[in-house]
Amino acid sequence: TLTRKQVYDEVGRCYLEHLLDAGEFSRAGALCPRLLKDATAWERWVFHFAQVHQLPVLAPYIPTKDPQLRDKVYEVVLNAFLPSKADHPRLLETVRSWPTNLYSIPTVVTAVQRRLAGASPADSMLLKEVLAELYMADGQRERALGIYLELQRPGLFDFIDQHKLYSAVQDKVLLLLQLDADLATELL
């Protein structure tokens, strides 16, 4: 005979499969935290959602602890945001909200760089912001600064001051002056 947990798991599996088959991806994603109780079940359903190209829908519900999944699973999820420009805002939000110990930062950086290589300038803005966030998480503040300069990000001068990146901007004085002469003069 089946245990109560086995029956619960089987009913949950059948219902999630029904929702995916019916194209009710958002509803299925929202139910996963109630139905999936361990890392094995979560990882199985991450790959089910991947097969139907709906990982961005599931991402907000994926646990980052209790249970924590394998790093490759989180990397697969982050990579799922890359193909569609419409998913880039959610990629940025996810990179900002997930603890960086969940995935390999260099692996995700490489994937973002590959996507950037084929992106138009209009499509690359958010991806560059994602890349800067990843560099910051990896302690590469000067690389993040380069992107922030390119994007002319608000708060750039505060960023330079906060992280004491004065030597990193010595060769970019003209660009800083063009952004804000008063702040550039004050900073230097």
Side-chain angles (χ1 to χ4, degrees), residues 144-171:
L145 172 63
I147 293 172
Y148 292 153
L149 277 166
E150 182 182 341
L151 297 175
Q152 299 182 5
R153 186 177 190 220
L156 177 64
F157 291 92
D158 291 335
F159 178 82
I160 294 166
D161 194 42
Q162 177 185 357
H163 297 289
K164 311 289 187 245
L165 295 171
Y166 311 114
S167 61
V169 294
Q170 286 180 351
D171 61 338

Side-chain angles (χ1 to χ4, degrees), residues 13-185:
R13 183 191 63 75
C14 288
Y15 189 53
L16 287 174
E17 283 180 2
H18 164 74
L19 291 174
L20 288 184
D21 290 344
E24 295 188 47
F25 307 114
S26 295
R27 192 165 167 203
L31 280 173
C32 283
R34 291 178 46 205
L35 298 175
L36 309 177
K37 300 301 179 195
D38 60 50
T40 303
W42 268 104
E43 290 179 4
R44 186 175 333 120
W45 281 98
V46 165
F47 289 106
H48 280 296
F49 274 77
Q51 288 175 334
V52 293
H53 307 287
Q54 294 298 319
L55 279 178
V57 173
L58 181 63
Y61 305 106
I62 295 174
T64 57
K65 60 180 178 183
D66 302 323
Q68 181 173 325
L69 313 181
R70 289 177 292 144
D71 60 347
K72 296 296 180 212
V73 175
Y74 294 105
E75 291 163 15
V76 165
V77 174
L78 292 172
N79 280 318
F81 288 106
L82 290 171
S84 172
K85 180 184 176 185
D87 290 329
H88 294 171
R90 288 191 289 172
L91 172 60
L92 180 59
E93 178 183 318
T94 304
V95 164
R96 286 178 173 162
S97 66
W98 278 2
T100 55
N101 66 319
L102 296 178
Y103 53 89
S104 164
I105 294 173
T107 299
V108 178
V109 164
T110 300
V112 173
Q113 288 172 330
R114 279 194 199 119
R115 178 65 177 92
L116 266 169
S120 70
D123 291 352
S124 67
M125 298 291 285
L126 277 172
L127 289 175
K128 287 179 182 177
E129 189 77 26
V130 168
L131 196 54
E133 289 286 331
L134 292 167
Y135 286 148
M136 285 298 297
D138 201 33
Q140 298 182 54
R141 290 183 173 89
E142 289 187 16
R143 291 187 94 172
L145 172 63
I147 293 172
Y148 292 153
L149 277 166
E150 182 182 341
L151 297 175
Q152 299 182 5
R153 186 177 190 220
L156 177 64
F157 291 92
D158 291 335
F159 178 82
I160 294 166
D161 194 42
Q162 177 185 357
H163 297 289
K164 311 289 187 245
L165 295 171
Y166 311 114
S167 61
V169 294
Q170 286 180 351
D171 61 338
K172 296 168 179 63
V173 173
L174 185 58
L175 180 56
L176 292 172
L177 286 168
Q178 290 171 341
L179 290 174
D180 189 320
D182 293 334
L183 286 175
T185 306

